[in-house]
Amino acid sequence: MPVQIAPSILASDFANLQSEVEMLNRSEADYIHVDIMDGVFVPNISFGLPVTEAIHRHARKPLDVHLMIVNPDLYLEAFRAVGAEIITVHYEACTHLHRTIDAIKKLGAKAGVALNPHTSVDLLGDVLTDLDLVCLMSVNPGFGGQKFIENTYAKVTKLKKLIEAKNSKAIIEIDGGVNLQNAPLLVEAGAGILVAGSFVFNSPDPLATVSALKKM
Ligand code: DX5
Ligand code: ZN
């Protein structure tokens, strides 16, 4: 299976959201990654439900919604209602993670769990078979355009082994600082989805950049 690409709309021009989404529709992207930040779980506020709904209205790619918020259980249904295909919550934000994963799946969405750079992949051992996706944060969540953390490679390798050992179908997604230098190494280590924000939107030709990432 070729690597899947999920450009992060966080790095787009919010004043021209419709044309940015239409550009992604024309691209080889597999998902549109939607970063929700609440200013509490992470030190930044991005946007919320109405903007996600507006993105969904124009999107012809499934929405991969990354909830960087406290109490995500309160908003699962609402994000599903505005078009989330994948709903990813943070391990660090969930006291009853198994219940939260169950709730996401009951809504008919794919369930993902994101791990901050300091959180060990071993902590997911007991829920791995319930998951569709594990998102490894390769930066500290909260901002686009940060530097890729090199320890991520080792985490991907370790997580890949754990997924195989548990016979889980979970796909490994990498989020933060992805570019054409680290992408091939990430794919080789076992990544199945690459999120890329600034590398796509700040490039002179975002369509060509998505294509180049897709060829990894
Ligand atoms: C970071 C977000 C990322 C971000 C990635 O908190 O979760 O999805 O948009 O942006 P880049 O690719 O610029 O690091
Ligand atoms: Zn993200």
Side-chain angles (χ1 to χ4, degrees):
M1 176 127 163
V3 69
Q4 298 190 291
I5 307 300
S8 171
I9 202 77
L10 182 70
S12 72
D13 177 1
F14 289 172
N16 291 293
L17 213 38
Q18 179 174 348
S19 64
E20 297 282 55
V21 171
E22 284 167 353
M23 182 278 288
L24 293 179
N25 287 342
R26 292 193 304 277
S27 79
E28 288 178 53
D30 297 277
Y31 293 97
I32 297 177
H33 186 83
V34 178
D35 285 308
I36 308 296
M37 304 178 179
D38 66 354
V40 180
F41 182 70
V42 288
N44 194 13
I45 299 173
S46 57
F47 52 82
L49 290 157
V51 174
T52 306
E53 191 276 328
I55 293 166
H56 182 242
R57 221 181 310 132
H58 299 287
R60 283 191 278 108
K61 312 270 182 180
L63 302 189
D64 168 29
V65 174
H66 178 193
L67 297 180
M68 287 163 275
I69 64 175
V70 296
N71 292 325
D73 303 81
L74 299 178
Y75 300 97
L76 299 175
E77 200 176 337
F79 277 102
R80 178 66 178 149
V82 294
E85 279 292 316
I86 303 175
I87 300 179
T88 297
V89 294
H90 264 265
Y91 174 88
E92 302 83 5
C94 295
T95 310
H96 302 286
L97 184 62
H98 183 274
R99 177 183 288 152
T100 304
I101 293 165
D102 211 42
I104 294 171
K105 296 210 296 200
K106 284 205 173 94
L107 292 167
K110 289 187 179 156
V113 171
L115 301 182
N116 278 339
H118 72 276
T119 304
S120 171
V121 297
D122 291 325
L123 294 165
L124 289 182
D126 291 300
V127 290
L128 218 41
T129 52
D130 303 306
L131 288 176
D132 298 297
L133 179 149
V134 177
C135 175
L136 295 181
M137 293 307 304
S138 38
V139 297
N140 285 292
F143 304 93
Q146 302 181 83
K147 191 175 171 291
F148 180 84
I149 296 171
E150 299 284 323
N151 184 52
T152 309
Y153 301 121
K155 283 181 86 172
V156 181
T157 304
K158 196 173 178 192
L159 177 58
K160 184 74 184 171
K161 282 203 188 107
L162 200 57
I163 286 173
E164 281 167 3
K166 298 274 180 186
N167 235 324
S168 161
K169 291 190 173 57
I171 297 174
I172 303 173
E173 178 179 73
I174 310 298
D175 189 4
V178 170
N179 56 38
L180 279 170
Q181 265 76 59
N182 51 38
L185 301 170
L186 291 166
V187 171
E188 196 182 306
I193 303 180
L194 302 176
V195 175
S198 45
F199 190 66
V200 167
F201 284 95
N202 296 349
S203 74
D205 185 349
L207 290 174
T209 303
V210 173
S211 296
L213 285 167
K214 185 73 191 168
K215 286 192 182 71
M216 288 303 118

